[in-house]
Amino acid sequence: MPHASIRRKACATFDRFGLAMVALLTLTSAAVAAETWDDKLFNPKPADGDVVLPLPCGGAMTFRKLSVPGDSLYSDYPVTIGTQDEAHGFAEGARTAYVAGSFSDGKTQRYLLMAKYEVSEAQYEAVMADGACPAKPGMAKRLPKAALSWIDAVNFSDRYSQWLRKNAAAKLPKEEGEIGYVRLPTEVEWEFAARGGIKMSPAEFNERLFPMPEGMARYVWYAGTQSANGKPQLTGLLQPNPLGLHDILGNVDEIVLEPFRLSRLDRLHGQVGAFVVRGGNYLTGEQDIRAAYRQEVPFYDGDAPRRAKTTGLRVVVAAPVLTSAERLRSAQAAWSKLGAVSAADNKPAAKAADDPLEELALLAKSAADPSTKTRLLNLQTTLRADIAARDEQRDRAAKASLRLGAFLGRKLADDSRAVDTLAKLYKSRVDSGSADDPRTKSFKEQLDREQAVMDGNLRYYADSLIRTAEDYGTEVLKRQKEILLVELQGMGLGELKPYVDRNFAHVTGYQKDKRVARNQWLADWNKIQ
């Protein structure tokens, strides 16, 4: 019995010691697994404006702002996506689409966050780990995660969203108190970003590729020994696009949110297919790399999900549209005003009886026949849509007029300074008694030419200014001025702000007093340094 008692005590002591050691080893293992990653694993090319969000297991993911002009709930930004290339038109036909941001960024801009790099193997494994973190990753894990199905990509986004909202909610952007979440980008968001967003002028945006001054091989991994050489490459080795996004073209295809549909000239066809990948990959030929690149991939390969070795993903952080009851009420109120008949700019307000929408509503209300009532309501909706489209065209034209005025103003400022300089040189030579000197005569001829050019530009500026003032109301111009300033800032042309402001002041001044003040306008331009 004494021996049995001793054995029981020894076993109990060993069990307690063993359990303690297991607990210690578990804690030690977890601590090692959760060790903070080296920055090069998640942001090998740091840049101003980077937004870093944490990942499980000590990791992180870097994002960039995808900014879009917008100052209200129904503000969206028109862009042309796709291509005019006949060979790819069936899938990539050019069409007008609209993009808007999820989060407010001041009064005139909205944004969402887009991952700066394709999701890496290390990031994917950290998010998808079920409680037990993998060992701290090495640089080889910076390869883009590939061989993914659409469901894999959605599951990754969901798990990362849930982890962030539980563990790092304060770091997520918010819209009216509603925190953001991770999802796949839409096709329009992806192509808007791939083309360079508002960093590009409209002409640059519609090119096949974003500007690549150092040659494509410095920006894109594509097929061939001069580039990817048949293998995926570590994220972030090449130069970024104008928005600071790396490998948005090439390396691995990137899965987007919505399914494939054929292009039917200016719109998408009604039949919905499988999922879409964008951008091309390391097996795509150099000549086929393009921002419009768009391929359908089957959801399934036999009885299993389709997982191509070239398919990866990039995610965005966005927010719901209707973030609160107040936002819902605002949406309802704003929707009722879309396409509403209003007085023409700078004209007296129309009477209610002159409003065809109101008249159609009254006729529909009094119609006894249900089919007649439905037709009248449909006609009212169609008319509202036409009016809303007209208003959008008016807004774009107003913005273009303000931009033209600003550029003409800058040209006048340059012209005025050149004329002043030549006039002073000519006067100094005349005052010194060299009026008949051939060089003095040459100065006079040059002065006369420059003066004639400036006078012509001033007449054109005055005509454009008056037309702008008469065609558009002050509130329309004010709103479009703010959107124009966002666009110019995005394109790196922020120095034009004084010219936009001065042109706007001239236009609104003319609206008030109807005075054509060419000499004063020219003097104002000459004051801008």
Side-chain angles (χ1 to χ4, degrees):
M1 291 296 295
H3 293 292
S5 177
I6 291 171
R7 283 198 300 271
R8 284 196 297 272
K9 288 181 180 179
C11 289
T13 301
F14 178 79
D15 287 345
R16 287 195 297 272
F17 175 76
L19 289 171
M21 287 300 295
V22 170
L24 178 61
L25 288 171
T26 300
L27 289 172
T28 303
S29 175
V32 170
E35 185 180 348
T36 302
W37 291 3
D38 188 301
D39 288 1
K40 291 187 181 299
L41 268 170
F42 61 86
N43 197 12
K45 295 281 184 69
D48 290 341
D50 287 347
V51 177
V52 178
L53 295 178
L55 273 169
C57 304
M61 186 177 290
T62 309
F63 293 83
R64 301 286 296 176
K65 275 188 176 181
L66 187 60
S67 297
V68 183
D71 59 359
S72 65
L73 179 59
Y74 272 100
S75 294
D76 54 11
Y77 192 67
V79 292
T80 299
I81 62 171
T83 178
Q84 297 289 355
D85 185 349
E86 188 71 20
H88 304 290
F90 70 96
E92 302 169 7
R95 62 186 175 90
T96 300
Y98 296 84
V99 63
S102 292
F103 307 101
S104 299
D105 191 12
K107 294 182 178 179
T108 58
Q109 193 163 250
R110 298 179 66 79
Y111 73 95
L112 52 80
L113 296 178
M114 176 169 274
K116 182 176 178 178
Y117 310 95
E118 292 165 330
V119 173
S120 70
E121 291 180 356
Q123 291 168 328
Y124 188 86
E125 290 170 6
V127 169
M128 302 305 284
D130 289 322
C133 288
K136 183 180 177 181
M139 287 302 153
K141 289 291 185 179
R142 214 176 80 199
L143 284 168
K145 177 61 179 176
L148 295 172
S149 71
W150 186 82
I151 294 297
D152 292 334
V154 171
N155 285 341
F156 172 85
S157 304
D158 174 54
R159 287 208 188 188
Y160 189 23
S161 290
Q162 291 192 47
W163 187 89
L164 281 170
R165 292 165 77 92
K166 290 175 183 175
N167 298 279
K171 295 182 180 296
L172 285 166
K174 298 178 178 63
E175 178 67 6
E176 292 191 340
E178 179 69 29
I179 60 175
Y181 58 89
V182 180
R183 62 164 168 79
L184 293 172
T186 67
E187 286 210 66
V188 177
E189 290 167 350
W190 187 95
E191 190 165 333
F192 179 72
R195 291 180 178 276
I198 61 171
K199 294 286 185 183
M200 299 290 94
S201 70
E204 291 172 322
F205 187 91
N206 290 332
E207 292 289 342
R208 175 170 161 265
L209 301 167
F210 61 82
M212 299 181 182
E214 299 176 49
M216 188 188 289
R218 298 285 293 145
Y219 298 85
V220 181
W221 293 115
Y222 52 85
T225 56
Q226 301 302 311
S227 185
N229 199 24
K231 298 181 294 184
Q233 303 294 319
L234 297 181
T235 60
L237 292 178
L238 300 181
Q239 297 298 315
N241 84 340
L243 289 176
L245 302 171
H246 290 261
D247 305 316
I248 189 103
L249 301 179
N251 212 18
V252 293
D253 294 312
E254 298 180 8
I255 301 172
V256 294
L257 186 61
E258 60 263 60
F260 180 85
R261 291 190 285 166
L262 289 170
S263 169
R264 183 174 167 133
L265 298 178
D266 62 342
R267 66 175 175 85
L268 294 179
H269 183 253
Q271 181 181 347
V272 173
F275 71 94
V276 177
V277 295
R278 302 297 307 256
N281 59 67
Y282 59 88
L283 298 178
T284 303
E286 179 181 4
Q287 71 280 1
D288 290 325
I289 294 291
R290 57 191 182 276
Y293 184 97
R294 177 175 183 261
Q295 299 287 317
E296 181 183 23
V297 179
F299 282 110
Y300 298 98
D301 185 1
D303 59 357
R306 174 69 175 266
R307 292 186 173 94
K309 64 180 182 179
T310 57
T311 301
L313 79 154
R314 184 187 305 262
V315 294
V316 299
V317 176
V321 175
L322 301 176
T323 52
S324 64
E326 179 59 33
R327 176 65 72 90
L328 173 59
R329 287 190 290 271
S330 297
Q332 290 171 328
W335 186 86
S336 67
K337 295 178 182 177
L338 288 175
V341 174
S342 56
D345 289 338
N346 302 331
K347 300 294 190 297
K351 297 178 182 179
D354 298 329
D355 185 342
L357 292 175
E358 182 67 23
E359 187 69 17
L360 282 170
L362 291 173
L363 288 172
K365 187 176 181 179
S366 60
D369 179 31
S371 63
T372 301
K373 183 173 184 175
T374 298
R375 290 173 64 186
L376 288 169
L377 290 174
N378 288 340
L379 179 60
Q380 183 191 41
T381 300
T382 301
L383 183 57
R384 283 181 63 188
D386 289 343
I387 293 170
R390 179 210 65 184
D391 289 347
E392 289 177 357
Q393 292 172 347
R394 174 206 62 196
D395 291 348
R396 290 195 294 272
K399 183 177 64 177
S401 294
L402 290 174
R403 178 171 175 163
L404 174 63
F407 277 94
L408 286 173
R410 185 170 68 169
K411 181 68 170 66
L412 282 171
D414 293 340
D415 290 348
S416 181
R417 283 190 284 270
V419 168
D420 286 350
T421 300
L422 285 169
K424 289 176 183 177
L425 287 171
Y426 175 70
K427 185 176 184 301
S428 67
R429 293 187 68 85
V430 170
D431 292 345
S432 66
S434 302
D436 295 328
D437 185 85
R439 186 169 177 77
T440 303
K441 292 180 180 179
S442 176
F443 274 127
K444 182 64 168 66
E445 291 172 358
Q446 186 177 358
L447 173 61
D448 290 343
R449 286 196 301 270
E450 294 293 336
Q451 182 72 52
V453 169
M454 185 182 72
D455 290 344
N457 287 337
L458 183 57
R459 283 194 299 273
Y460 183 44
Y461 174 73
D463 291 345
S464 298
L465 184 153
I466 293 169
R467 192 179 309 115
T468 300
E470 292 178 345
D471 286 350
Y472 311 107
T474 303
E475 287 304 312
V476 169
L477 291 170
K478 181 178 180 181
R479 182 168 181 266
Q480 294 309 310
K481 185 195 86 163
E482 296 303 320
I483 294 175
L484 175 61
L485 290 174
V486 171
E487 291 179 346
L488 293 174
Q489 186 67 39
M491 288 185 281
L493 298 174
E495 73 276 5
L496 287 175
K497 183 179 186 303
Y499 298 93
V500 174
D501 290 339
R502 185 59 53 86
N503 177 56
F504 178 77
H506 287 169
V507 171
T508 53
Y510 178 83
Q511 286 178 331
K512 292 176 183 176
D513 59 25
K514 304 297 182 185
R515 188 167 67 89
V516 180
R518 289 191 184 89
N519 292 335
Q520 182 59 53
W521 294 338
L522 182 62
D524 288 344
W525 289 121
N526 201 17
K527 293 175 186 175
I528 297 181
Q529 300 300 317

